[in-house]
Amino acid sequence: MLLDVQDLSVSYDGIQAVRQISFNVKQGERVTIIGANGAGKSSTLKALAGLIKLTQGRIQFNGQTINTVPAYERVALGLCLVPEGRGIFQRMSIEENLWMGAYSRGVKEFNQQVGQVYDIFPRLYERRSQNAGTLSGGEQQMLAIGRALLSQPQLLMLDEPSMGLAPQMVDHLFEVIGKVVSQGVSLLLIEQNAELALHLCDRAYVMDTGEIILSDSAKNCLTHPLVQQAYLG
Amino acid sequence: MIFWQQVINGLTLGSIYALVALGYTMVYGIMELINFAHGDVVMVGALIALTLTQWFMQQGLGFPLSLLLASGLSICVCMLLGWVIERVAYRPLRTAPKLAPLITAIGLSLLLQQLAALIWGKSYLPFPGNLEGSSYAWHGIVISSLQLSIFILSLLLMFLLWQLVHHTKLGRAMRSTAQSVPFAQLMGVNTNQVISQTFIIGSALAAVAGVMDVMYYSVGNYTMGFLLGLKAFTAAVLGGIGNLKGAMLGGLLLGVLEALGAGYIGDITHGIMGSNYKDVFAFFVLILVLIFRPNGLLGSNNQEKV
Ligand SMILES: Nc1ncnc2c1ncn2[C@@H]1O[C@H](COP(=O)(O)OP(=O)(O)OP(=O)(O)O)[C@@H](O)[C@H]1O
Ligand SMILES: [Mg+2]
C-alpha cells in the first residue's frame, strides 16, 4: 500500500470539513476523488501534503506514519501536491519554477531530468527564461505538472487540474497526465470533470459534505446511478 | 564644484542607507513585516565594533587589525541578534493581526536602545584610532579613502547579495517563500529556516552599515539607529519596499538628495535654514513618495519581491 489513510478529519475553527474518511492508493494505481463544491476534497489533499493539521486520523505513506512530518519534508518522501490554483511562482522564470520542483532533490538531479520535462512540454522549453506569470492558464498547469515531476514523486496529487481551462486544453492536459502516470507514478486526482477523471483512473471515491459516500472501480462508478445523476448529468 | 562634492558625500551616505534599506526590504518582501528594530541592530553593530576596536588596540594590536577583528565579531553578534529577534518576537506573532508585530517591532526598538544605554551610557562615544587617512583631490573635489572604502565595500556587498538572491539555492528559497509560504513548502522549502536566514543576512548587512556609519561620523550613541533606521526605511519605500534593486537605488538616491539639500538649503532659504536641517529632506522625500508613488520608484502592484 502506497498511501493508507485512516479516519482522517479536518476542521476549520471547530467546523468539520472532512469527517473520518478512510481510503487508500496502491502502488501504480490511479485514484480519483470526485464530489461537489465544498465536499472537502481540497482539504483532504492539503492534509495529506501537510499544509493543514488533521484533527484526527492517521496517514501512512509507504508504511510510515507521516502525521507529524512537516510539509516540506513530505516532498522528499515522494508525496507531491499540485495545489488548487497550481502554486506557480509568478515572479520566477519558468526554468526557476522547474528548478524549485527539484529543490528537494538537488541540482544534479535537476540537470539530469529537466530535459525529459521539456520533451513532454516543448512550450516550456521555448519560454524557459520568461516569468511564469506570463504563461496562459493551461501552460501554467503544464508547468505545475512538469515541476511536480522533477520532485520525482511516487504519488502525484492533482487538485482540479482542469480548472479554468478551455475544453480542448483539458483534453490535451488529461492526455499528458495519462502519459505521465503510465511511467509508474501513482495518481490521486481531484476533479470537477467527473467523466474525464473516471475515464483516466482505475478507482474512484465520491465525497459529499466531508464524507466518502461511495467507493468503487472507476468503471462501475461511470454507470452508478448516484454518480450519473449528480456528476455526469 | 560644491555640487559634485555633495554628490560624492551623498553617495557615501547613500551606500550606508542602501545596506540598511536592504534589511528592511528583505524582511518586508518575505513576510510583509516592517522590522522597525532593524535600525537598532545597526546601532548595536556600531557600538560593539567601536568598543571592541578600542579594546583590541589597548591589547596592543594595530588599528587595521583591531578594526577588522572588531567588525567581524560585531557582525557575528548582530547575526545572532537578528536570529533571536525573529524567533522570540516575530515568529510567535506569525498568524496574529498585522498590528501586533508592528507594535512589537517598536517595543523591541525601544528595548534595544535602553539596553544599549545601560551598557554604553547615554553620551556620545568617539571612534578610536585616526580615521583621517589619505584623500584624493580632483578638480577641487575631495574624496577620502574612508569614503571610497565605504562606497566600494557597499557596492561589493550589494553585488554579492544580488548574486545570492538570484543564483543560489537559498536565494530561490527566499524568493519562493516571499511569493507564497505554503507553495514554497510544497517544493520542500523549510520556510521557517529561510525566514531566519533572511533576518540573519539582513542583520549582517546592518552590522557592516553600523561600522561604516560610526566611522564616517566618528562618534556613536545609543540613539544613532533611530534616525539612520528611519532614513533607510525611507530609502526602501522610495525604491519600492520589497524590491532589492529599489532598496539599493533608493538608498543611493536618498543619500545624494540629502547631501545636495544640505549643501544648498542655506542658499535656497536665504540663510533661514542651515545644513543642520538636512534630516528634513529624508522625510520630505518620504511624504512625496507616499503621496505620488506609494509603490516606490521600481515598485508596481506586481512587484518583484526579495
Ligand atoms: N481556510 C478555510 N477556513 C474555513 N473554512 C474552510 C477553509 N477552507 C475550506 N473551508 C471549508 O471547508 C469545506 C471544504 O472545503 P474544500 O476546499 O476542502 O472543498 P472542495 O471539495 O475542495 O471544494 P471545491 O470543489 O469547491 O474546491 C468547505 O465548506 C469550505 O468552506
Ligand atoms: Mg477544492
Side-chain angles (χ1 to χ4, degrees):
Chain A
M1 198 72 75
L2 182 60
L3 175 74
D4 189 27
V5 179
Q6 289 293 330
D7 295 327
L8 173 81
S9 295
V10 172
S11 338
Y12 298 101
D13 303 321
I15 299 165
Q16 276 212 316
V18 178
R19 304 156 190 264
Q20 293 198 34
I21 62 170
S22 302
F23 62 97
N24 58 59
V25 180
K26 296 181 191 68
Q27 198 81 47
E29 215 181 9
R30 292 170 288 190
V31 175
T32 182
I33 302 177
I34 54 180
N37 289 117
K41 307 179 299 290
S42 297
S43 302
T44 303
L45 286 201
K46 281 185 200 157
L48 293 181
L51 291 182
I52 51 177
K53 282 206 180 79
L54 19 160
T55 41
Q56 193 192 335
R58 192 196 64 193
I59 305 170
Q60 276 195 323
F61 189 68
N62 268 328
Q64 180 193 352
T65 302
I66 58 166
N67 284 25
T68 56
V69 176
Y72 65 89
E73 282 178 9
R74 297 192 190 189
V75 203
L77 297 177
L79 194 63
C80 180
L81 169 66
V82 176
E84 216 167 10
R86 302 166 190 131
I88 292 298
F89 300 111
Q90 309 269 340
R91 296 187 302 266
M92 285 168 108
S93 73
I94 288 158
E95 181 135 307
E96 280 184 310
N97 266 277
L98 292 173
W99 193 93
M100 286 308 296
Y103 185 88
S104 60
R105 301 294 171 200
V107 186
K108 220 174 107 196
E109 243 92 343
F110 171 75
N111 289 331
Q112 278 169 6
Q113 311 239 325
V114 71
Q116 291 174 32
V117 171
Y118 283 141
D119 284 344
I120 308 174
F121 307 108
R123 256 333 248 154
L124 297 182
Y125 181 72
E126 286 162 27
R127 303 183 54 179
R128 63 190 179 282
S129 54
Q130 286 180 28
N131 260 9
T134 65
L135 291 174
S136 75
E139 290 165 343
Q140 289 197 15
Q141 192 57 256
M142 302 290 185
L143 174 58
I145 292 171
R147 185 177 69 175
L149 291 180
L150 282 163
S151 75
Q152 302 175 9
Q154 290 185 55
L155 179 65
L156 179 61
M157 303 188 284
L158 303 178
D159 194 344
E160 297 201 30
S162 75
M163 190 162 59
L165 304 187
Q168 228 183 339
M169 192 70 213
V170 173
D171 290 340
H172 176 56
L173 180 72
F174 269 73
E175 226 171 86
V176 170
I177 295 172
K179 216 188 297 176
V180 162
V181 293
S182 69
Q183 292 163 1
V185 182
S186 307
L187 179 71
L188 182 58
L189 172 71
I190 283 180
E191 248 314 317
Q192 291 278 335
N193 191 328
E195 185 159 5
L196 271 174
L198 290 172
H199 277 112
L200 179 73
C201 293
D202 308 311
R203 265 191 319 122
Y205 294 94
V206 180
M207 257 184 108
D208 188 45
T209 54
E211 293 179 48
I212 289 179
I213 54 167
L214 181 68
S215 152
D216 208 337
S217 72
K219 216 168 154 191
N220 288 347
C221 281
L222 272 168
T223 53
H224 196 285
L226 182 115
V227 177
Q228 287 235 315
Q229 194 189 6
Y231 307 109
L232 299 176
Chain B
M1 271 321 114
I2 183 178
F3 178 83
W4 290 109
Q5 183 63 57
Q6 289 304 71
V7 169
I8 300 271
N9 295 346
L11 285 176
T12 312
L13 257 183
S15 45
I16 297 175
Y17 295 162
L19 288 184
V20 184
L22 283 168
Y24 280 104
T25 233
M26 280 197 293
V27 164
Y28 183 85
I30 213 155
M31 51 198 298
E32 299 203 349
L33 164 80
I34 293 165
N35 174 18
F36 273 119
H38 189 58
D40 300 290
V41 176
V42 178
M43 174 271 294
V44 170
L47 295 185
I48 287 176
L50 183 150
T51 307
L52 286 181
T53 305
Q54 203 161 32
W55 188 80
F56 281 123
M57 285 171 77
Q58 281 163 3
Q59 309 308 306
L61 296 183
F63 174 68
L65 184 61
S66 302
L67 176 64
L68 208 65
L69 288 174
S71 305
L73 286 169
S74 153
I75 291 170
C76 293
V77 173
C78 284
M79 286 164 91
L80 186 69
L81 181 61
W83 180 78
V84 169
I85 285 175
E86 192 274 326
R87 279 306 281 262
V88 174
Y90 296 137
R91 189 170 299 185
L93 299 174
R94 207 62 78 64
T95 53
K98 285 251 159 88
L99 200 56
L102 197 65
I103 292 169
T104 304
I106 293 167
L108 206 58
S109 165
L110 293 174
L111 177 73
L112 286 176
Q113 284 180 32
Q114 292 313 311
L115 282 177
L118 279 179
I119 298 172
W120 284 285
K122 295 192 169 178
S123 52
Y124 281 82
L125 305 169
F127 196 84
N130 176 11
L131 296 175
E132 291 289 301
S134 48
S135 58
Y136 312 92
W138 186 74
H139 288 286
I141 305 166
V142 182
I143 178 165
S144 71
S145 51
L146 179 61
Q147 284 182 310
L148 207 58
S149 315
I150 289 175
F151 188 62
I152 291 173
L153 183 59
S154 299
L155 286 188
L156 180 71
L157 288 174
M158 287 187 246
F159 172 77
L160 289 177
L161 182 72
W162 184 263
Q163 294 298 319
L164 172 87
V165 167
H166 287 270
H167 300 291
T168 67
K169 185 170 182 175
L170 173 60
R172 289 192 176 112
M174 285 166 75
R175 281 186 292 142
S176 61
T177 303
Q179 291 183 50
S180 163
V181 167
F183 295 167
Q185 286 178 348
L186 286 180
M187 300 292 107
V189 177
N190 182 346
T191 50
N192 276 336
Q193 197 179 51
V194 168
I195 290 171
S196 283
Q197 283 162 331
T198 305
F199 271 82
I200 290 171
I201 294 167
S203 302
L205 293 177
V208 175
V211 177
M212 288 174 172
D213 191 77
V214 77
M215 286 177 75
Y216 195 50
Y217 288 111
S218 66
V219 286
N221 173 264
Y222 77 107
T223 57
M224 66 184 279
F226 176 72
L227 202 57
L228 181 58
L230 216 50
K231 286 181 186 173
F233 170 67
T234 303
V237 174
L238 174 63
I241 193 148
N243 184 310
L244 279 192
K245 263 192 222 157
M248 300 177 191
L249 182 77
L252 293 175
L253 203 61
L254 187 71
V256 171
L257 282 175
E258 190 182 294
L260 287 178
Y264 289 107
I265 192 170
D267 295 346
I268 296 168
T269 60
H270 299 288
I272 298 168
M273 291 165 94
S275 64
N276 50 336
Y277 276 89
K278 69 179 166 55
D279 293 335
V280 171
F281 276 88
F283 308 112
F284 189 57
V285 168
L286 181 60
I287 291 166
L288 286 185
V289 171
L290 289 178
I291 293 173
F292 293 107
R293 230 186 129 86
N295 287 324
L297 295 176
L298 299 185
S300 63
N301 288 330
N302 189 14
Q303 59 179 275
E304 185 197 345
K305 283 197 270 178
V306 167

